[in-house]
Amino acid sequence: FPVTIAKKHIDIGMMDKDHNVRSAAVSHPNATKEQIKTGLKDEDASVRYAAIKHPNATKEHIDRGMLDKDTNVRYAAMWHPNATKEHFDRGMKDSDPGIRQAAISHPNANATKEQIEAGLNDESSNVRQAAIRNPNATKEHIDRGILDKAPHVRRAAVSHPNATKEHIDIGMMDEHPNVRIAAVSHPNATQKHLDRGMEDGNHDVRLAVVRHHRNATQKHLDLGVRDDSNEVRAVAASHPNATNKHIDIGLMDENPWVRQAAIKNPNATQKHLDLGIIDKNRNVREAVVRHSNATQKHLDLGVRDRDVDVRYIAVSHPNATKEHIDIGMMDKDHNVRRAAVSHPNATKEHIDIGMMD
């Protein structure tokens, strides 16, 4: 329907035998309160759904939507921006767990202590998870959530901004690795928690420690670059706080992914780039010519590299000189030649050569 459509046209659309037309009509920005009300009485659930989702739906419309026999309509009503505390209370008693979850998760809910308590008593673990995620959850709520039988509820509890050191302690001892990951990733995790995380048998927990940029120490990175897991070693070598020593170890790693991560570190020195540009793995050499600290020497080697991708990236580098573009223009690969002639530093001579390619 056009934006400028009149009320009478929407009325006609609302009487169409095709439910898609009726849905489009009631969804129109110019639909009136009366037309939305009519839409909510439609025999087709998809039309009622479209009606309750309208931005102009009022409290009275939402009241009706909350009583609809169709779950999707009630769900849409529950999530409407104009839903009130009365609707949230009703939603918490709905037979469908998805609607109960929506009720306690709604941004306007401002859930009370009692509502969160009710959510934590719910038979559905998803509702309990939504309850413990609520910003108004207290220490007492988190105390309950951290002991829930469902691991995703315990994870939500230990992830809560109001989780205390004691909650994180409990999370670090949880049998489920996802809970321990959440615990060690919490902004309030202490050095003791991170130390314990680096001793965890699950590599994802150790990975979470070296990704914990705020509190990860040199000791944690020392362990990280020597970890059994390639992923942990790679993240440790690329960490913003990694020292020259950590990058050195990363560049000596047997796994090319770890060496590439090390060379990508912004703290990589000329010495590191010198080693990287002669690495046997093309991805490592490619990382060198992409590096912000790459010098003319590295680009000299890059434009002569045996791998076409490395040559392409080298000749595309902002610091590529006329000499590098000269070499690129003679490359056997047409993509490298095209990158060379497209370079901002390409001269008239290069363009003339390109015209004869």
Side-chain angles (χ1 to χ4, degrees):
F1 285 90
V3 176
T4 56
I5 193 169
K7 176 182 179 296
K8 66 177 182 179
H9 297 131
I10 297 176
D11 283 336
I12 294 171
M14 292 290 293
M15 293 185 289
D16 197 277
K17 63 182 179 180
D18 189 300
H19 69 91
N20 291 313
V21 177
R22 300 197 303 275
S23 293
V26 79
S27 298
H28 195 280
N30 294 343
T32 66
K33 292 179 182 179
E34 279 303 312
Q35 288 166 333
I36 295 172
K37 183 177 179 180
T38 301
L40 286 170
K41 295 177 183 177
D42 198 278
E43 63 181 12
D44 192 284
S46 65
V47 179
R48 302 196 303 274
Y49 179 84
I52 199 61
K53 284 182 69 71
H54 198 288
N56 296 336
T58 65
K59 176 184 179 298
E60 289 70 28
H61 295 135
I62 299 171
D63 286 344
R64 187 178 186 100
M66 288 296 296
L67 298 174
D68 199 279
K69 62 184 178 181
D70 186 87
T71 303
N72 290 327
V73 177
R74 298 198 309 277
Y75 187 84
M78 186 69 267
W79 269 114
H80 199 283
N82 296 336
T84 66
K85 181 181 182 298
E86 180 184 335
H87 299 128
F88 305 140
D89 289 340
R90 190 181 301 169
M92 286 294 292
K93 297 171 185 173
D94 197 278
S95 60
D96 188 272
I99 294 171
R100 300 198 300 274
Q101 182 180 354
I104 201 157
S105 302
H106 196 288
N108 296 342
N110 193 22
T112 64
K113 180 179 178 181
E114 291 72 27
Q115 286 172 322
I116 296 173
E117 194 71 28
L120 288 173
N121 289 330
D122 200 279
E123 62 183 13
S124 166
S125 62
N126 288 335
V127 177
R128 300 197 303 274
Q129 181 188 43
I132 203 63
R133 281 178 170 172
N134 194 288
N136 296 340
T138 65
K139 177 184 179 298
E140 289 70 29
H141 295 135
I142 299 171
D143 287 343
R144 284 193 58 186
I146 199 72
L147 299 177
D148 196 275
K149 61 184 177 182
H152 60 286
V153 178
R154 302 197 300 274
R155 180 180 62 194
V158 80
S159 300
H160 198 283
N162 295 336
T164 65
K165 175 182 175 295
E166 288 70 28
H167 295 133
I168 298 173
D169 286 340
I170 296 170
M172 289 299 298
M173 295 184 287
D174 199 278
E175 65 181 4
H176 201 287
N178 286 346
V179 180
R180 302 198 301 276
I181 290 169
V184 83
S185 301
H186 198 284
N188 296 336
T190 65
Q191 294 302 313
K192 176 183 173 184
H193 296 133
L194 300 188
D195 289 347
R196 181 168 186 149
M198 285 306 293
E199 297 171 357
D200 199 285
N202 184 284
H203 91 279
D204 286 325
V205 179
R206 303 193 302 275
L207 184 62
V209 174
V210 293
R211 279 184 172 155
H212 202 292
H213 291 185
R214 175 179 162 185
N215 293 332
T217 66
Q218 297 301 307
K219 180 174 94 169
H220 301 130
L221 297 181
D222 286 344
L223 293 170
V225 292
R226 295 176 174 87
D227 197 271
D228 291 339
S229 164
N230 295 335
E231 192 173 6
V232 175
R233 298 198 305 277
V235 172
S238 62
H239 195 284
N241 296 337
T243 64
N244 284 347
K245 176 185 173 185
H246 297 134
I247 300 174
D248 286 343
I249 295 171
L251 283 173
M252 293 186 289
D253 200 281
E254 62 182 12
N255 187 289
W257 185 36
V258 179
R259 301 197 302 275
Q260 180 186 17
I263 211 68
K264 283 182 175 180
N265 195 308
N267 298 331
T269 65
Q270 294 302 311
K271 173 188 169 186
H272 297 132
L273 298 184
D274 289 347
L275 287 172
I277 199 64
I278 57 173
D279 195 278
K280 61 185 177 182
N281 184 275
R282 76 169 182 85
N283 291 324
V284 179
R285 303 194 303 275
E286 184 179 314
V288 172
V289 293
R290 285 186 187 276
H291 202 285
S292 58
N293 293 337
T295 65
Q296 296 302 308
K297 179 176 100 172
H298 302 127
L299 297 181
D300 286 345
L301 293 172
V303 294
R304 295 177 174 87
D305 197 274
R306 60 184 177 274
D307 186 89
V308 63
D309 289 339
V310 178
R311 301 197 304 273
Y312 178 89
I313 293 165
V315 81
S316 302
H317 196 284
N319 296 336
T321 64
K322 177 181 179 299
E323 289 69 28
H324 298 136
I325 298 171
D326 286 343
I327 296 170
M329 290 300 297
M330 295 185 289
D331 199 278
K332 61 184 178 181
D333 185 88
H334 77 279
N335 286 322
V336 178
R337 299 195 302 275
R338 183 175 61 186
V341 78
S342 301
H343 198 284
N345 295 337
T347 65
K348 180 180 179 300
E349 178 187 344
H350 296 132
I351 296 171
D352 289 341
I353 295 171
M355 291 295 291
M356 295 184 288
D357 193 273

